[in-house]
């Protein structure tokens, strides 16, 4: 990690209307504090690469073009009722905690136009919900390839997975 960045500063930068539609990118940083984007109207794609978060990232009820956490480590992602116009990308990220009280990823009633990428992700919530996606609507599919592992339950009750459903529940999918 090259630097520590305060979550409130990250939030302000993501929501900066002066940035226009330019994508937001944060790479190789430790995000301190809680990144809360609940209910926000995010008018740009957001991408974190190789970042570590102290607290869960929350997008409950938010609207965004795309949201990517690639090669990141975070104690949780709360995105129930979020609307993602592109894809939600968690490739190669580690999400959750062995002894935490909540699910690793909460996507209950979220709407994702571009699909959910979980390729190589490791969701950690033993004895709890690793991925809670009841009522999820995705038009781009759900991809769990390249060593995806879930420690805990993965649940999609009532989900509409128009992009082909959950892909690649092969021998390395984890339980």
């Amino acid at each position: 990690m090259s630097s520590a960045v305060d979550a409130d500063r990250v939030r302000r930068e993501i929501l900066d209307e002066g940035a226009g539609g330019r994508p937001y990118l944060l790479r190789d940083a430790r995000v301190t504090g809680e990144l809360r984007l609940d209910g926000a109207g995010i008018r740009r794609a957001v991408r974190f690469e190789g970042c570590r978060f102290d607290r869960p990232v929350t997008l409950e009820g938010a609207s965004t073009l795309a949201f990517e956490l690639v090669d990141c480590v975070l104690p949780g992602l709360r995105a129930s009722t979020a609307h993602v116009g592109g894809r939600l990308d968690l490739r190669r990220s580690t999400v959750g905690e062995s002894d935490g009280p909540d699910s690793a990823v909460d996507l209950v009633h979220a709407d994702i136009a571009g699909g959910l990428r979980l390729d190589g992700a490791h969701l950690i919530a033993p004895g709890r919900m690793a991925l809670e996606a009841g009522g999820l609507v995705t038009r781009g599919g759900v991809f769990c390839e390249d060593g995806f592992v879930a420690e805990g339950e993965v649940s999609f009750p009532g989900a509409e997975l128009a992009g082909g459903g959950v892909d690649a529940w092969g021998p390395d999918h984890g339980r």
Side-chain angles (χ1 to χ4, degrees):
M1 297 291 145
S2 61
S3 63
V5 182
D6 180 70
D8 289 333
R9 176 179 151 202
V10 172
R11 183 181 197 285
R12 284 191 306 274
E13 290 174 357
I14 289 171
L15 298 177
D16 178 12
E17 293 197 20
R22 286 190 320 271
Y24 176 84
L25 171 63
L26 183 64
R27 183 179 286 138
D28 299 325
R30 178 173 165 242
V31 179
T32 61
E34 188 171 16
L35 181 55
R36 294 190 68 89
L37 295 162
D38 298 339
I42 305 167
R43 296 190 171 100
R44 57 201 299 203
V46 175
R47 183 175 174 94
F48 295 94
E49 293 178 4
C51 293
R52 178 175 292 274
F53 294 81
D54 288 348
R55 306 280 311 271
V57 173
T58 63
L59 290 166
E60 294 178 349
S63 175
T64 185
L65 298 179
F67 203 87
E68 301 180 6
L69 294 149
V70 177
D71 295 313
C72 292
V73 176
L74 57 154
L77 175 63
R78 312 278 164 260
S80 61
T81 69
H83 293 273
V84 182
R87 70 179 178 193
L88 179 60
D89 191 341
L90 300 174
R91 285 177 296 142
R92 299 179 307 278
S93 289
T94 300
V95 186
E97 302 173 294
S98 293
D99 57 355
D102 299 317
S103 60
V105 178
D106 177 355
L107 298 176
V108 173
H109 296 293
D111 186 317
I112 304 170
L116 175 61
R117 299 302 310 230
L118 294 166
D119 306 313
H122 185 181
L123 307 184
I124 304 170
R128 302 182 315 279
M129 295 295 271
L131 174 58
E132 193 169 7
L136 170 69
V137 175
T138 178
R139 286 168 291 292
V142 177
F143 301 91
C144 306
E145 301 175 319
D146 300 327
F148 169 77
V149 175
E151 295 179 37
E153 187 175 341
V154 173
S155 178
F156 288 90
E160 296 178 32
L161 308 175
V166 179
D167 189 30
W169 284 106
D172 7 337
H173 71 275
R175 296 202 190 269

